[in-house]
Each structure stands twice: as C-alpha cells, then as structure tokens.
PDB file of all heavy atoms in Angstrom:
ATOM      1  N   CYS A 346      89.446 260.430 -49.559  1.00 96.00           N
ATOM      2  CA  CYS A 346      88.160 259.789 -49.803  1.00 96.00           C
ATOM      3  C   CYS A 346      87.888 259.778 -51.302  1.00 96.00           C
ATOM      4  O   CYS A 346      88.284 260.715 -52.012  1.00 96.00           O
ATOM      5  CB  CYS A 346      87.082 260.582 -49.066  1.00 96.00           C
ATOM      6  SG  CYS A 346      85.439 259.921 -49.245  1.00 96.00           S
ATOM      7  N   GLU A 347      87.213 258.738 -51.752  1.00 96.00           N
ATOM      8  CA  GLU A 347      86.801 258.645 -53.149  1.00 96.00           C
ATOM      9  C   GLU A 347      85.414 258.029 -53.204  1.00 96.00           C
ATOM     10  O   GLU A 347      85.150 257.017 -52.555  1.00 96.00           O
ATOM     11  CB  GLU A 347      87.774 257.769 -53.947  1.00 96.00           C
ATOM     12  CG  GLU A 347      87.390 257.582 -55.387  1.00 96.00           C
ATOM     13  CD  GLU A 347      88.340 256.664 -56.139  1.00 96.00           C
ATOM     14  OE1 GLU A 347      89.470 256.441 -55.671  1.00 96.00           O
ATOM     15  OE2 GLU A 347      87.936 256.159 -57.201  1.00 96.00           O
ATOM     16  N   VAL A 348      84.523 258.664 -53.964  1.00 95.00           N
ATOM     17  CA  VAL A 348      83.172 258.154 -54.167  1.00 95.00           C
ATOM     18  C   VAL A 348      82.880 258.223 -55.655  1.00 95.00           C
ATOM     19  O   VAL A 348      83.002 259.287 -56.267  1.00 95.00           O
ATOM     20  CB  VAL A 348      82.116 258.978 -53.396  1.00 95.00           C
ATOM     21  CG1 VAL A 348      80.721 258.435 -53.651  1.00 95.00           C
ATOM     22  CG2 VAL A 348      82.415 258.997 -51.907  1.00 95.00           C
ATOM     23  N   ALA A 349      82.504 257.081 -56.233  1.00 94.00           N
ATOM     24  CA  ALA A 349      82.148 257.046 -57.654  1.00 94.00           C
ATOM     25  C   ALA A 349      80.664 256.740 -57.777  1.00 94.00           C
ATOM     26  O   ALA A 349      80.216 255.650 -57.422  1.00 94.00           O
ATOM     27  CB  ALA A 349      82.972 256.003 -58.393  1.00 94.00           C
ATOM     28  N   THR A 350      79.931 257.730 -58.236  1.00 91.00           N
ATOM     29  CA  THR A 350      78.507 257.546 -58.540  1.00 91.00           C
ATOM     30  C   THR A 350      78.359 257.883 -60.027  1.00 91.00           C
ATOM     31  O   THR A 350      78.959 257.195 -60.840  1.00 91.00           O
ATOM     32  CB  THR A 350      77.625 258.443 -57.640  1.00 91.00           C
ATOM     33  OG1 THR A 350      78.041 259.804 -57.774  1.00 91.00           O
ATOM     34  CG2 THR A 350      77.716 258.024 -56.183  1.00 91.00           C
ATOM     35  N   PHE A 351      77.659 258.946 -60.377  1.00 91.00           N
ATOM     36  CA  PHE A 351      77.557 259.356 -61.780  1.00 91.00           C
ATOM     37  C   PHE A 351      78.846 260.021 -62.255  1.00 91.00           C
ATOM     38  O   PHE A 351      79.072 260.201 -63.446  1.00 91.00           O
ATOM     39  CB  PHE A 351      76.358 260.289 -61.990  1.00 91.00           C
ATOM     40  CG  PHE A 351      76.453 261.580 -61.215  1.00 91.00           C
ATOM     41  CD1 PHE A 351      76.943 262.721 -61.814  1.00 91.00           C
ATOM     42  CD2 PHE A 351      76.048 261.633 -59.888  1.00 91.00           C
ATOM     43  CE1 PHE A 351      77.036 263.909 -61.108  1.00 91.00           C
ATOM     44  CE2 PHE A 351      76.131 262.820 -59.170  1.00 91.00           C
ATOM     45  CZ  PHE A 351      76.625 263.959 -59.783  1.00 91.00           C
ATOM     46  N   VAL A 352      79.711 260.391 -61.292  1.00 93.00           N
ATOM     47  CA  VAL A 352      81.029 260.963 -61.539  1.00 93.00           C
ATOM     48  C   VAL A 352      81.870 260.593 -60.317  1.00 93.00           C
ATOM     49  O   VAL A 352      81.334 260.233 -59.268  1.00 93.00           O
ATOM     50  CB  VAL A 352      80.928 262.506 -61.742  1.00 93.00           C
ATOM     51  CG1 VAL A 352      80.509 263.205 -60.477  1.00 93.00           C
ATOM     52  CG2 VAL A 352      82.196 263.097 -62.305  1.00 93.00           C
ATOM     53  N   THR A 353      83.177 260.661 -60.430  1.00 94.00           N
ATOM     54  CA  THR A 353      84.034 260.328 -59.290  1.00 94.00           C
ATOM     55  C   THR A 353      84.375 261.597 -58.515  1.00 94.00           C
ATOM     56  O   THR A 353      84.858 262.573 -59.082  1.00 94.00           O
ATOM     57  CB  THR A 353      85.331 259.648 -59.756  1.00 94.00           C
ATOM     58  OG1 THR A 353      84.980 258.443 -60.433  1.00 94.00           O
ATOM     59  CG2 THR A 353      86.230 259.314 -58.575  1.00 94.00           C
ATOM     60  N   PHE A 354      84.105 261.548 -57.225  1.00 94.00           N
ATOM     61  CA  PHE A 354      84.448 262.637 -56.320  1.00 94.00           C
ATOM     62  C   PHE A 354      85.681 262.202 -55.536  1.00 94.00           C
ATOM     63  O   PHE A 354      85.687 261.111 -54.959  1.00 94.00           O
ATOM     64  CB  PHE A 354      83.312 262.914 -55.328  1.00 94.00           C
ATOM     65  CG  PHE A 354      82.025 263.326 -55.974  1.00 94.00           C
ATOM     66  CD1 PHE A 354      81.072 262.376 -56.325  1.00 94.00           C
ATOM     67  CD2 PHE A 354      81.762 264.658 -56.226  1.00 94.00           C
ATOM     68  CE1 PHE A 354      79.880 262.748 -56.915  1.00 94.00           C
ATOM     69  CE2 PHE A 354      80.562 265.046 -56.825  1.00 94.00           C
ATOM     70  CZ  PHE A 354      79.618 264.097 -57.168  1.00 94.00           C
ATOM     71  N   GLN A 355      86.706 263.041 -55.511  1.00 95.00           N
ATOM     72  CA  GLN A 355      87.902 262.752 -54.722  1.00 95.00           C
ATOM     73  C   GLN A 355      88.138 263.892 -53.754  1.00 95.00           C
ATOM     74  O   GLN A 355      88.141 265.060 -54.161  1.00 95.00           O
ATOM     75  CB  GLN A 355      89.118 262.542 -55.621  1.00 95.00           C
ATOM     76  CG  GLN A 355      88.989 261.281 -56.452  1.00 95.00           C
ATOM     77  CD  GLN A 355      90.208 261.019 -57.297  1.00 95.00           C
ATOM     78  OE1 GLN A 355      90.836 261.929 -57.805  1.00 95.00           O
ATOM     79  NE2 GLN A 355      90.534 259.748 -57.456  1.00 95.00           N
ATOM     80  N   ILE A 356      88.330 263.535 -52.499  1.00 94.00           N
ATOM     81  CA  ILE A 356      88.538 264.518 -51.441  1.00 94.00           C
ATOM     82  C   ILE A 356      89.878 264.202 -50.794  1.00 94.00           C
ATOM     83  O   ILE A 356      90.127 263.065 -50.398  1.00 94.00           O
ATOM     84  CB  ILE A 356      87.397 264.447 -50.409  1.00 94.00           C
ATOM     85  CG1 ILE A 356      86.071 264.755 -51.112  1.00 94.00           C
ATOM     86  CG2 ILE A 356      87.657 265.383 -49.242  1.00 94.00           C
ATOM     87  CD1 ILE A 356      84.849 264.445 -50.291  1.00 94.00           C
ATOM     88  N   ASP A 357      90.739 265.200 -50.687  1.00 92.00           N
ATOM     89  CA  ASP A 357      92.073 264.938 -50.145  1.00 92.00           C
ATOM     90  C   ASP A 357      92.133 264.989 -48.616  1.00 92.00           C
ATOM     91  O   ASP A 357      93.119 264.590 -48.028  1.00 92.00           O
ATOM     92  CB  ASP A 357      93.124 265.861 -50.762  1.00 92.00           C
ATOM     93  CG  ASP A 357      92.998 267.313 -50.351  1.00 92.00           C
ATOM     94  OD1 ASP A 357      92.151 267.650 -49.503  1.00 92.00           O
ATOM     95  OD2 ASP A 357      93.768 268.131 -50.881  1.00 92.00           O
ATOM     96  N   GLY A 358      91.107 265.485 -47.956  1.00 87.00           N
ATOM     97  CA  GLY A 358      91.081 265.498 -46.498  1.00 87.00           C
ATOM     98  C   GLY A 358      91.836 266.656 -45.870  1.00 87.00           C
ATOM     99  O   GLY A 358      91.783 266.846 -44.657  1.00 87.00           O
ATOM    100  N   LYS A 359      92.548 267.422 -46.667  1.00 87.00           N
ATOM    101  CA  LYS A 359      93.311 268.553 -46.125  1.00 87.00           C
ATOM    102  C   LYS A 359      92.342 269.666 -45.750  1.00 87.00           C
ATOM    103  O   LYS A 359      91.552 270.122 -46.552  1.00 87.00           O
ATOM    104  CB  LYS A 359      94.311 269.071 -47.155  1.00 87.00           C
ATOM    105  CG  LYS A 359      95.193 270.177 -46.638  1.00 87.00           C
ATOM    106  CD  LYS A 359      96.156 270.638 -47.716  1.00 87.00           C
ATOM    107  CE  LYS A 359      97.105 271.693 -47.256  1.00 87.00           C
ATOM    108  NZ  LYS A 359      96.529 272.826 -46.600  1.00 87.00           N
ATOM    109  N   ARG A 360      92.447 270.067 -44.509  1.00 80.00           N
ATOM    110  CA  ARG A 360      91.572 271.121 -43.988  1.00 80.00           C
ATOM    111  C   ARG A 360      92.177 272.483 -44.331  1.00 80.00           C
ATOM    112  O   ARG A 360      93.367 272.703 -44.149  1.00 80.00           O
ATOM    113  CB  ARG A 360      91.430 270.959 -42.477  1.00 80.00           C
ATOM    114  CG  ARG A 360      90.450 271.900 -41.833  1.00 80.00           C
ATOM    115  CD  ARG A 360      90.365 271.690 -40.337  1.00 80.00           C
ATOM    116  NE  ARG A 360      91.648 272.038 -39.728  1.00 80.00           N
ATOM    117  CZ  ARG A 360      92.241 271.292 -38.798  1.00 80.00           C
ATOM    118  NH1 ARG A 360      91.712 270.185 -38.366  1.00 80.00           N
ATOM    119  NH2 ARG A 360      93.392 271.682 -38.287  1.00 80.00           N
ATOM    120  N   HIS A 361      91.357 273.397 -44.820  1.00 78.00           N
ATOM    121  CA  HIS A 361      91.795 274.753 -45.143  1.00 78.00           C
ATOM    122  C   HIS A 361      91.430 275.664 -43.973  1.00 78.00           C
ATOM    123  O   HIS A 361      90.344 276.246 -43.927  1.00 78.00           O
ATOM    124  CB  HIS A 361      91.144 275.244 -46.439  1.00 78.00           C
ATOM    125  CG  HIS A 361      91.539 274.435 -47.623  1.00 78.00           C
ATOM    126  ND1 HIS A 361      92.740 274.605 -48.283  1.00 78.00           N
ATOM    127  CD2 HIS A 361      90.913 273.415 -48.259  1.00 78.00           C
ATOM    128  CE1 HIS A 361      92.823 273.746 -49.274  1.00 78.00           C
ATOM    129  NE2 HIS A 361      91.729 273.001 -49.280  1.00 78.00           N
ATOM    130  N   ASP A 362      92.360 275.801 -43.040  1.00 72.00           N
ATOM    131  CA  ASP A 362      92.096 276.571 -41.825  1.00 72.00           C
ATOM    132  C   ASP A 362      91.759 278.031 -42.113  1.00 72.00           C
ATOM    133  O   ASP A 362      90.999 278.656 -41.366  1.00 72.00           O
ATOM    134  CB  ASP A 362      93.286 276.486 -40.866  1.00 72.00           C
ATOM    135  CG  ASP A 362      93.404 275.117 -40.226  1.00 72.00           C
ATOM    136  OD1 ASP A 362      92.385 274.391 -40.166  1.00 72.00           O
ATOM    137  OD2 ASP A 362      94.513 274.774 -39.774  1.00 72.00           O
ATOM    138  N   GLU A 363      92.303 278.589 -43.194  1.00 75.00           N
ATOM    139  CA  GLU A 363      92.033 279.994 -43.514  1.00 75.00           C
ATOM    140  C   GLU A 363      90.569 280.232 -43.884  1.00 75.00           C
ATOM    141  O   GLU A 363      90.088 281.361 -43.849  1.00 75.00           O
ATOM    142  CB  GLU A 363      92.970 280.493 -44.626  1.00 75.00           C
ATOM    143  CG  GLU A 363      92.879 279.755 -45.930  1.00 75.00           C
ATOM    144  CD  GLU A 363      93.661 278.435 -45.982  1.00 75.00           C
ATOM    145  OE1 GLU A 363      94.401 278.101 -45.036  1.00 75.00           O
ATOM    146  OE2 GLU A 363      93.496 277.725 -46.973  1.00 75.00           O
ATOM    147  N   TRP A 364      89.845 279.181 -44.235  1.00 76.00           N
ATOM    148  CA  TRP A 364      88.431 279.300 -44.583  1.00 76.00           C
ATOM    149  C   TRP A 364      87.584 279.613 -43.349  1.00 76.00           C
ATOM    150  O   TRP A 364      86.572 280.288 -43.432  1.00 76.00           O
ATOM    151  CB  TRP A 364      87.955 277.999 -45.247  1.00 76.00           C
ATOM    152  CG  TRP A 364      86.543 278.056 -45.719  1.00 76.00           C
ATOM    153  CD1 TRP A 364      86.083 278.604 -46.883  1.00 76.00           C
ATOM    154  CD2 TRP A 364      85.397 277.542 -45.043  1.00 76.00           C
ATOM    155  NE1 TRP A 364      84.716 278.453 -46.963  1.00 76.00           N
ATOM    156  CE2 TRP A 364      84.271 277.796 -45.843  1.00 76.00           C
ATOM    157  CE3 TRP A 364      85.209 276.879 -43.841  1.00 76.00           C
ATOM    158  CZ2 TRP A 364      82.984 277.428 -45.484  1.00 76.00           C
ATOM    159  CZ3 TRP A 364      83.926 276.505 -43.477  1.00 76.00           C
ATOM    160  CH2 TRP A 364      82.826 276.781 -44.300  1.00 76.00           C
ATOM    161  N   TYR A 365      88.016 279.115 -42.195  1.00 66.00           N
ATOM    162  CA  TYR A 365      87.271 279.292 -40.943  1.00 66.00           C
ATOM    163  C   TYR A 365      87.496 280.683 -40.357  1.00 66.00           C
ATOM    164  O   TYR A 365      88.568 281.260 -40.487  1.00 66.00           O
ATOM    165  CB  TYR A 365      87.733 278.266 -39.904  1.00 66.00           C
ATOM    166  CG  TYR A 365      87.425 276.841 -40.262  1.00 66.00           C
ATOM    167  CD1 TYR A 365      88.392 276.039 -40.869  1.00 66.00           C
ATOM    168  CD2 TYR A 365      86.194 276.277 -39.982  1.00 66.00           C
ATOM    169  CE1 TYR A 365      88.129 274.718 -41.195  1.00 66.00           C
ATOM    170  CE2 TYR A 365      85.920 274.960 -40.305  1.00 66.00           C
ATOM    171  CZ  TYR A 365      86.881 274.187 -40.911  1.00 66.00           C
ATOM    172  OH  TYR A 365      86.625 272.884 -41.234  1.00 66.00           O
ATOM    173  N   ASP A 366      86.469 281.190 -39.689  1.00 67.00           N
ATOM    174  CA  ASP A 366      86.663 282.376 -38.858  1.00 67.00           C
ATOM    175  C   ASP A 366      87.561 281.973 -37.704  1.00 67.00           C
ATOM    176  O   ASP A 366      87.616 280.798 -37.319  1.00 67.00           O
ATOM    177  CB  ASP A 366      85.321 282.881 -38.310  1.00 67.00           C
ATOM    178  CG  ASP A 366      84.430 283.453 -39.423  1.00 67.00           C
ATOM    179  OD1 ASP A 366      84.978 283.931 -40.432  1.00 67.00           O
ATOM    180  OD2 ASP A 366      83.195 283.405 -39.253  1.00 67.00           O
ATOM    181  N   THR A 367      88.247 282.932 -37.114  1.00 68.00           N
ATOM    182  CA  THR A 367      89.202 282.640 -36.041  1.00 68.00           C
ATOM    183  C   THR A 367      88.577 281.832 -34.910  1.00 68.00           C
ATOM    184  O   THR A 367      89.170 280.874 -34.429  1.00 68.00           O
ATOM    185  CB  THR A 367      89.786 283.956 -35.480  1.00 68.00           C
ATOM    186  OG1 THR A 367      90.344 284.688 -36.566  1.00 68.00           O
ATOM    187  CG2 THR A 367      90.866 283.679 -34.453  1.00 68.00           C
ATOM    188  N   ASP A 368      87.368 282.175 -34.511  1.00 65.00           N
ATOM    189  CA  ASP A 368      86.719 281.473 -33.400  1.00 65.00           C
ATOM    190  C   ASP A 368      86.186 280.095 -33.786  1.00 65.00           C
ATOM    191  O   ASP A 368      85.832 279.293 -32.934  1.00 65.00           O
ATOM    192  CB  ASP A 368      85.602 282.321 -32.796  1.00 65.00           C
ATOM    193  CG  ASP A 368      84.508 282.647 -33.801  1.00 65.00           C
ATOM    194  OD1 ASP A 368      84.805 282.736 -35.012  1.00 65.00           O
ATOM    195  OD2 ASP A 368      83.341 282.825 -33.370  1.00 65.00           O
ATOM    196  N   GLU A 369      86.124 279.776 -35.078  1.00 65.00           N
ATOM    197  CA  GLU A 369      85.635 278.484 -35.555  1.00 65.00           C
ATOM    198  C   GLU A 369      86.748 277.475 -35.803  1.00 65.00           C
ATOM    199  O   GLU A 369      86.478 276.290 -35.959  1.00 65.00           O
ATOM    200  CB  GLU A 369      84.904 278.636 -36.897  1.00 65.00           C
ATOM    201  CG  GLU A 369      83.656 279.445 -36.895  1.00 65.00           C
ATOM    202  CD  GLU A 369      83.095 279.567 -38.304  1.00 65.00           C
ATOM    203  OE1 GLU A 369      83.859 279.842 -39.253  1.00 65.00           O
ATOM    204  OE2 GLU A 369      81.885 279.364 -38.441  1.00 65.00           O
ATOM    205  N   ARG A 370      87.980 277.950 -35.909  1.00 63.00           N
ATOM    206  CA  ARG A 370      89.088 277.080 -36.305  1.00 63.00           C
ATOM    207  C   ARG A 370      89.243 275.893 -35.374  1.00 63.00           C
ATOM    208  O   ARG A 370      89.253 276.044 -34.160  1.00 63.00           O
ATOM    209  CB  ARG A 370      90.397 277.861 -36.300  1.00 63.00           C
ATOM    210  CG  ARG A 370      90.692 278.387 -37.639  1.00 63.00           C
ATOM    211  CD  ARG A 370      92.046 278.946 -37.817  1.00 63.00           C
ATOM    212  NE  ARG A 370      91.904 279.824 -38.963  1.00 63.00           N
ATOM    213  CZ  ARG A 370      92.393 281.026 -39.057  1.00 63.00           C
ATOM    214  NH1 ARG A 370      93.125 281.520 -38.103  1.00 63.00           N
ATOM    215  NH2 ARG A 370      92.175 281.740 -40.120  1.00 63.00           N
ATOM    216  N   PRO A 371      89.386 274.704 -35.957  1.00 64.00           N
ATOM    217  CA  PRO A 371      89.646 273.514 -35.129  1.00 64.00           C
ATOM    218  C   PRO A 371      90.960 273.672 -34.377  1.00 64.00           C
ATOM    219  O   PRO A 371      91.912 274.288 -34.875  1.00 64.00           O
ATOM    220  CB  PRO A 371      89.735 272.383 -36.147  1.00 64.00           C
ATOM    221  CG  PRO A 371      88.997 272.891 -37.349  1.00 64.00           C
ATOM    222  CD  PRO A 371      89.227 274.366 -37.361  1.00 64.00           C
ATOM    223  N   SER A 372      91.004 273.106 -33.196  1.00 65.00           N
ATOM    224  CA  SER A 372      92.183 273.289 -32.339  1.00 65.00           C
ATOM    225  C   SER A 372      93.301 272.282 -32.619  1.00 65.00           C
ATOM    226  O   SER A 372      94.435 272.506 -32.239  1.00 65.00           O
ATOM    227  CB  SER A 372      91.779 273.213 -30.864  1.00 65.00           C
ATOM    228  OG  SER A 372      91.180 271.960 -30.600  1.00 65.00           O
ATOM    229  N   ASP A 373      92.989 271.165 -33.280  1.00 69.00           N
ATOM    230  CA  ASP A 373      94.053 270.195 -33.542  1.00 69.00           C
ATOM    231  C   ASP A 373      94.973 270.699 -34.643  1.00 69.00           C
ATOM    232  O   ASP A 373      94.604 271.540 -35.450  1.00 69.00           O
ATOM    233  CB  ASP A 373      93.494 268.808 -33.880  1.00 69.00           C
ATOM    234  CG  ASP A 373      92.714 268.789 -35.176  1.00 69.00           C
ATOM    235  OD1 ASP A 373      93.292 269.129 -36.221  1.00 69.00           O
ATOM    236  OD2 ASP A 373      91.526 268.424 -35.158  1.00 69.00           O
ATOM    237  N   GLU A 374      96.166 270.179 -34.668  1.00 70.00           N
ATOM    238  CA  GLU A 374      97.178 270.678 -35.599  1.00 70.00           C
ATOM    239  C   GLU A 374      97.510 269.713 -36.732  1.00 70.00           C
ATOM    240  O   GLU A 374      98.453 269.938 -37.473  1.00 70.00           O
ATOM    241  CB  GLU A 374      98.457 271.020 -34.825  1.00 70.00           C
ATOM    242  CG  GLU A 374      98.249 272.143 -33.833  1.00 70.00           C
ATOM    243  CD  GLU A 374      99.510 272.479 -33.058  1.00 70.00           C
ATOM    244  OE1 GLU A 374     100.594 272.009 -33.452  1.00 70.00           O
ATOM    245  OE2 GLU A 374      99.391 273.202 -32.076  1.00 70.00           O
ATOM    246  N   CYS A 375      96.747 268.654 -36.884  1.00 77.00           N
ATOM    247  CA  CYS A 375      97.093 267.664 -37.909  1.00 77.00           C
ATOM    248  C   CYS A 375      96.786 268.154 -39.318  1.00 77.00           C
ATOM    249  O   CYS A 375      97.335 267.657 -40.287  1.00 77.00           O
ATOM    250  CB  CYS A 375      96.411 266.339 -37.627  1.00 77.00           C
ATOM    251  SG  CYS A 375      94.669 266.336 -38.049  1.00 77.00           S
TER     252      CYS A 375
END
C-alpha cells in the first residue's frame, strides 16, 4: 500500500506474527 498526503506512507503488507499474543495470531499462513 502507498498513500501520499503530507508525506508518503508505504506499507509492505507483511504481517508480523510474533507481535500477536498466541491466542490472537491469525490462522492463515499467507
């Protein structure tokens, strides 16, 4: 994703599973 307003924000979409608690982790593997 990319959004340019007063600055450009770029998001790579990669999910950081280690950030989630074990019970919160998304179940998909993509």
Side-chain angles (χ1 to χ4, degrees):
C346 181
E347 178 182 342
V348 179
T350 55
F351 62 96
V352 67
T353 299
F354 299 91
Q355 293 183 324
I356 299 168
D357 69 5
K359 184 180 183 309
R360 186 180 65 225
H361 297 280
D362 288 337
E363 60 279 354
W364 184 82
Y365 295 97
D366 291 332
T367 305
D368 61 331
E369 296 177 314
R370 266 191 202 136
S372 59
D373 65 59
E374 296 180 12
C375 76

